[in-house]
Amino acid sequence: MADMLDRLCCYVIRDDFGPSVEQVAKVLLQKGRLTLPIIAKLSKFALAKTRECLFILIQHNLVYWAEARESQRIGIYYSIERDEILTRLNFGIYIKNANEWVGSRHASELVKHILLNGKVTFSGLVEDLKINKKSSRYKDIKESFYRMIEKNYISSVDFTDSKSARDKATEAEQRELAKVTNFIPTKKQMAEAKARLAANLDMNDTATGSKRKLNLENFDRPTKQHKGEITFDENQYFRVNYEKFNVKARNKRFAKFVRDRLNHSAGTIMRYILDIADCDKASEIESCSVSLHRILKNIPESKDEVFFQQMKTEKGKTVTRESLIKQYLDCLIEDDANLLCKKDENLGGLYFVKYNALCESLKQQVFENIILEKYGIKGQRIIKVLQAKQKLDEKAVTTFTLMSVMDVRQKLTELLNGGFTQVQEVPRSGDRAPSRTFFFWYVDYNKCYEIILYNYYRTLANIHQVRFEQESSAARLLDKKEKEDALKQLNNNTFIQLLTENETKALNELEFNLTQLDTAQLRIVQDVMLFKDYK
């Protein structure tokens, strides 16, 4: 798995920053934490060029540094974060849905600009986008930027955020121990220092992709603020909060799962419940409790809504909108997939969502679809029987699946070779002879999910490899196309043509293939987020 992750990370770095930065990142991925001279030596670059590559990676939150005292001098060590690199695969999803999730028509443009630069200030963003401060566009951009800060879609960063979470935790622990003793601390003193840190410090850090609290001290708050005026520090650096976008992507996937499982109205209700019980991390187990009154209040009323047509019964009578929503809530609670839970009956009841149960249902659905596609209906039938009956021998599997012994043996062997079934040996004698041993077949879902995630990573790496090979083989045509576009823009002439008919046809075919690869990558990335980021 580690080698495959390193291969995929190198492809992602090359796709975004080029081969030189990829070489430096590859050294850090393979060797771990290193100093600048050693990185330059292993990457075979000059110190200046290596420093520039590291600066690019630090700017985009991929490399972290830490100071370590070595006798009379202080050495700076650099390390790279694999999770941050893999998160870059999700950027297309963030940009595509930013307008909808933030509720602003400029959100996608702002998110795209921040992701392209790693960290930005609002003043630098306005300068890069060439926005006139007296125009209405400047006011809209500033309002959208402030809304993203307020809803925590972007978080403020400072100088210490270039240190990894582990390094900052170690430094904080050393400061706590220094308050206790100047000598070697005892085991009890170390445990007390760690307990104080766990109680007082917020260990969530952007290095792990989690939510950071907004630093209100860095904001300019005038003593007198006019109504409707938006104020914040325009020179403060901000970065995209990946965890918030992951939460929104998870909620969207949950709502789609409910809509496909029940109907469109149930999916709409689930979407509003997830928006009300908005959490901070995609790894949380369950949501906060939401009252019935709050659910009814937040679902908007309109004549073209999905509930309007369902409020009429067969006899021509109408049911109230509140009673219809209550019926849908009861259906969500009674569903076998644990779509919704209820824990109190006061004031109509308190509802909450078990994120881990919904994630498990989604993972099982994806797992069964993979088994059906790869091993057919017989393989899927065996998996469902093993899921329902737990551990069975070959004879019992044959009985429950109503299949022949040869088919069951063949499918079980194929599933075992793919890593989707496991065998437990139960010997009847001390010599553990195969003839006197029971062989029970079962499914370990955690191992299956790891194999699926590994296959996804391998597929993503292969997609990047194919894209690079196709682009390198058509490098001459791409350069010629760029020259043609530059000449057209320079001379304001659309009739300039450097490419022949065959070359134009080859370029169109290349663009079609690259589009197909991007579409396949986007579909895989959505499942990777399910198995990797959601819990």
Side-chain angles (χ1 to χ4, degrees):
M1 176 71 84
D3 294 339
M4 184 57 61
L5 284 178
D6 290 348
R7 177 180 168 226
L8 176 58
C9 289
C10 289
Y11 283 148
V12 173
I13 295 295
R14 188 200 303 180
D15 192 18
D16 291 345
F17 307 107
S20 298
V21 181
E22 179 202 1
Q23 184 63 26
V24 174
K26 185 177 181 181
V27 170
L28 290 173
L29 287 169
Q30 293 178 347
K31 303 298 182 180
R33 178 173 295 196
L34 297 173
T35 58
L36 176 61
I38 298 178
I39 297 173
K41 180 180 178 180
L42 294 176
S43 60
K44 299 180 182 179
F45 290 154
L47 283 175
K49 187 174 182 179
T50 306
R51 189 181 291 110
E52 290 174 358
C53 295
L54 288 173
F55 176 78
I56 292 172
L57 293 171
I58 292 173
Q59 174 68 19
H60 287 269
N61 314 299
L62 303 178
V63 166
Y64 298 90
W65 57 269
E67 295 178 347
R69 180 171 294 277
E70 301 171 349
S71 64
Q72 301 297 327
R73 58 185 295 273
I74 295 178
I76 299 179
Y77 287 82
Y78 299 91
S79 60
I80 197 165
E81 292 287 338
R82 287 183 177 84
D83 290 340
E84 290 280 346
I85 298 175
L86 296 175
T87 305
R88 300 185 69 85
L89 296 170
N90 308 339
F91 283 2
I93 298 175
Y94 300 164
I95 296 172
K96 178 182 177 182
N97 299 284
N99 286 346
E100 177 187 352
W101 294 341
V102 179
S104 172
R105 60 190 180 92
H106 297 288
S108 293
E109 182 183 2
L110 295 176
V111 170
K112 182 179 180 180
H113 184 81
I114 297 173
L115 292 176
L116 285 175
N117 292 274
K119 309 179 186 76
V120 299
T121 62
F122 181 75
S123 59
L125 183 145
V126 171
E127 183 179 352
D128 292 342
L129 296 179
K130 299 179 181 179
I131 302 174
N132 187 0
K133 292 187 177 181
K134 297 181 179 180
S135 63
S136 60
R137 174 174 165 79
Y138 173 80
K139 183 180 179 181
D140 294 339
I141 290 290
K142 189 172 183 179
E143 183 179 355
S144 299
F145 197 86
Y146 182 79
R147 182 177 297 180
M148 292 172 64
I149 297 173
E150 196 175 28
K151 294 185 177 181
N152 204 40
Y153 287 99
I154 56 176
S155 54
S156 60
V157 294
D158 53 24
F159 179 73
T160 59
D161 286 315
S162 294
K163 295 183 180 181
S164 65
R166 184 180 62 180
D167 292 326
K168 288 194 283 188
T170 303
E171 291 176 1
E173 183 179 341
Q174 290 175 353
R175 288 194 297 268
E176 287 292 326
L177 292 174
K179 298 177 183 178
V180 178
T181 178
N182 294 327
F183 301 98
I184 299 176
T186 62
K187 185 177 180 180
K188 182 179 179 181
Q189 290 174 337
M190 293 180 66
E192 292 175 352
K194 291 181 179 179
R196 286 195 298 271
L197 287 174
N200 300 326
L201 296 180
D202 182 10
M203 300 304 293
N204 297 331
D205 192 85
T206 52
T208 59
S210 59
K211 171 185 174 182
R212 295 187 72 256
K213 291 184 178 179
L214 190 61
N215 188 5
L216 298 177
E217 296 178 357
N218 295 330
F219 281 76
D220 291 334
R221 294 190 180 275
T223 55
K224 185 176 181 181
Q225 181 175 339
H226 298 286
K227 185 177 180 181
E229 184 180 354
I230 298 175
T231 58
F232 58 90
D233 187 1
E234 297 185 1
N235 295 319
Q236 171 70 35
Y237 278 89
F238 291 91
R239 61 166 292 183
V240 174
N241 186 5
Y242 303 148
E243 194 69 26
K244 184 69 174 181
F245 281 94
N246 289 341
V247 168
K248 289 295 183 179
R250 181 200 62 188
N251 293 347
K252 184 177 181 180
R253 181 109 189 222
F254 284 171
K256 182 179 182 301
F257 174 71
V258 174
R259 184 170 66 248
D260 296 340
R261 187 176 180 90
L262 297 179
N263 58 20
H264 187 77
S265 301
T268 302
I269 293 176
M270 177 59 72
R271 177 168 61 87
Y272 282 113
I273 293 175
L274 291 170
D275 288 340
I276 296 169
D278 195 14
C279 63
D280 298 329
K281 298 180 182 179
S283 58
E284 290 189 2
I285 297 177
E286 64 180 37
S287 69
C288 61
S289 301
V290 181
S291 65
L292 176 62
H293 174 72
R294 193 175 177 188
I295 295 173
L296 296 174
K297 182 180 178 181
N298 281 270
I299 298 179
E301 295 186 37
S302 60
K303 291 186 177 181
D304 56 346
E305 67 176 356
V306 292
F307 307 108
F308 185 74
Q309 298 297 331
Q310 300 174 7
M311 289 170 60
K312 295 182 179 180
T313 61
E314 296 180 356
K315 297 180 180 180
K317 298 180 181 180
T318 59
V319 295
T320 61
R321 182 172 173 274
E322 290 75 10
S323 62
L324 183 63
I325 293 177
K326 289 179 183 179
Q327 292 177 17
Y328 273 112
L329 291 175
D330 293 337
C331 291
L332 292 172
I333 293 172
E334 296 172 358
D335 193 273
D336 296 335
N338 296 321
L339 302 177
L340 191 65
C341 301
K342 189 176 182 180
K343 64 179 181 181
D344 196 357
E345 294 294 340
N346 293 331
L347 300 176
L350 293 176
Y351 300 87
F352 67 96
V353 180
K354 286 188 176 180
Y355 297 132
N356 57 343
L358 265 173
C359 280
E360 189 64 27
S361 300
L362 267 171
K363 290 177 182 178
Q364 288 188 10
Q365 183 187 57
V366 174
F367 172 61
E368 291 177 0
N369 292 336
I370 291 174
I371 295 298
L372 178 62
E373 181 180 355
K374 194 170 183 179
Y375 301 101
I377 189 66
K378 294 182 179 180
Q380 188 187 46
R381 188 187 305 174
I382 292 175
I383 290 293
K384 288 187 175 181
V385 167
L386 292 177
Q387 176 189 4
K389 304 296 182 180
Q390 302 300 322
K391 297 180 180 179
L392 298 174
D393 60 359
E394 187 179 284
K395 184 177 180 181
V397 173
T398 304
T399 303
F400 284 113
T401 57
L402 303 177
M403 294 165 56
S404 64
V405 178
M406 294 298 296
D407 290 341
V408 169
R409 187 171 300 166
Q410 179 185 356
K411 289 298 178 182
L412 285 174
T413 305
E414 292 177 0
L415 291 168
L416 180 64
N417 293 334
F420 298 113
T421 56
Q422 289 76 36
V423 181
Q424 180 175 348
E425 300 179 2
V426 181
R428 288 183 289 177
S429 59
D431 58 357
R432 306 182 71 89
S435 59
R436 292 185 295 276
T437 301
F438 291 111
F439 295 93
F440 291 100
W441 297 83
Y442 67 99
V443 178
D444 188 342
Y445 277 95
N446 291 328
K447 290 183 178 179
C448 293
Y449 297 158
E450 291 178 0
I451 292 172
I452 291 174
L453 189 58
Y454 174 80
N455 292 335
Y456 280 149
Y457 284 144
R458 182 176 59 185
T459 305
L460 288 173
N462 292 339
I463 288 174
H464 279 84
Q465 183 179 359
V466 172
R467 182 189 292 117
F468 291 140
E469 290 176 354
Q470 292 190 0
E471 289 178 348
S472 61
S473 62
R476 186 183 63 84
L477 294 178
L478 293 174
D479 292 340
K480 202 171 180 180
K481 177 66 174 175
E482 289 181 1
K483 292 179 182 178
E484 181 182 304
D485 294 339
L487 288 174
K488 289 180 179 179
Q489 185 176 4
L490 183 63
N491 300 319
N492 295 326
N493 189 356
T494 58
F495 299 100
I496 296 176
Q497 187 171 1
L498 300 179
L499 296 171
T500 63
E501 184 178 351
N502 292 333
E503 289 175 341
T504 304
K505 185 177 179 181
L507 276 178
N508 292 334
E509 184 178 354
L510 175 64
E511 291 177 358
F512 176 77
N513 293 336
L514 294 180
T515 303
Q516 294 292 103
L517 291 174
D518 292 339
T519 304
Q521 176 179 322
L522 181 60
R523 292 175 179 173
I524 295 173
V525 165
Q526 292 176 348
D527 285 342
V528 169
M529 294 176 68
L530 171 64
F531 286 96
K532 174 179 172 291
D533 298 326
Y534 311 155
K535 301 298 181 184

